[in-house]
Amino acid sequence: MAAMKPAKAGVKQARGLFGRLPPKKQMHPSFSFLEGAPSNRSTRAMMNEAFARFADRDGNFVQQFQTTGFDNRTFELYVSELLHSEGFAMISEAPHPDFSVEKGGVRIHIECTTANRTDTGGSRLVPYEPTNDRDLDLQAIRERSENDIPVRIGGALRNKLLHRIDKKRDPKAYWELPHVAGQPFVIAVESFHEHGSLGFGGAATAFYLYGIRQSPSWDGSGRLVIEQQQVDRHISGDKDIPSGFFNLEGTEHVSAVLWTNAGTVPKFTRVALAGPYPDEDLTVLRFGTMNDPDPNAHQPLPFAYIVGDPGTPEETWGQEAMLIHNPNALYPVPTGLFETVTETVLENGRPVDTIKSEFLPYMSLSNVFAGPGHRKLAMDFGNQAYESLVQLFAANDPKPG
């Protein structure tokens, strides 16, 4: 397929997600960059294509996407693409929950939510940043994983658990709605609660849902042993919540939690450039950490590659997603219903993952390079990033010797 040609200067798209622009002072900074930067033309095309498949039941998706709900709505658009790619068919036009879908005779219902920033800067919209100054402090990373993430994710999930539709006239929980009752109900969640929060993998959320914590140790022969302990509570600042969301009263109505850290603009960029909308004027470098399939592995592997290059990993919409099953669910989601999403179930009190992809990224950053020599700049940066990750893992390896 030929590379995309740049749009003519001064011409704006008249439909889809990028028409009917709000006053500049109301526009989300992340949307402004997405809408205006020439380097985002492939991303815009991909997101408009996704929006053409999206059922805007509320009728306010575009307005919120352009203003106060940019991250939330981008995540919802991602979930829509994931469901379409998995072969689900939309089966209801009811406004709640966000998605009612069917596949292979199985119906499930999904409500989306995000953990958001509380220090929003008053009336100023604060764009999410992929890194955080605390990312360099390993103790701070551990504390954020074991307490901050559970508290923020837990708050978002609990809000959906307690939410009632038509609160004044005939209040109903999501699972009590006539078209949902007696069928699996899933909460999809992503965390934007602080800069860098998407750098955490799904394990922190799974451990919170099950009320456990795991750490590596080694036996006398050097084989990996995973030690597990029960966790009672998570404390972050003035917030103190019980661990084990799936053990809380009322959560038997939640069949599973669909977690991801990839419901973002860079996901759409990578899928666009590697697929239907290549752009010869750009090079996108993706680097980060991935699953090590070695059963004795205790750390992730670093990776770096140029998006769209031959021989690089094929990217699916479900690659960075986890479906974490509730062992106490009244109406479980059948395992294997999702073909590209990692599934986590509790077996004999321990979480067991079924990984569907040979390439399973835990976290990644996508850097866009444009201008003269953009490909060489990207490759040089990628080599440096990869070596830095190798050195970081070596310097902080918990394995003795």
Side-chain angles (χ1 to χ4, degrees), residues 1 25 39 44 71 112 142 168 217 238 257 294 316:
M1 180 179 292
K25 66 179 181 179
S39 60
R44 292 192 292 270
D71 292 326
C112 297
R142 186 175 298 109
K168 292 184 178 180
S217 63
D238 60 354
V257 168
D294 183 349
T316 66

Side-chain angles (χ1 to χ4, degrees), residues 288-293 299-303 358-363:
T289 62
M290 59 177 282
N291 176 63
D292 186 341
Q299 288 184 320
L301 292 173
F303 73 86
E358 292 183 5
F359 173 65
L360 178 65
Y362 290 142
M363 63 76 61

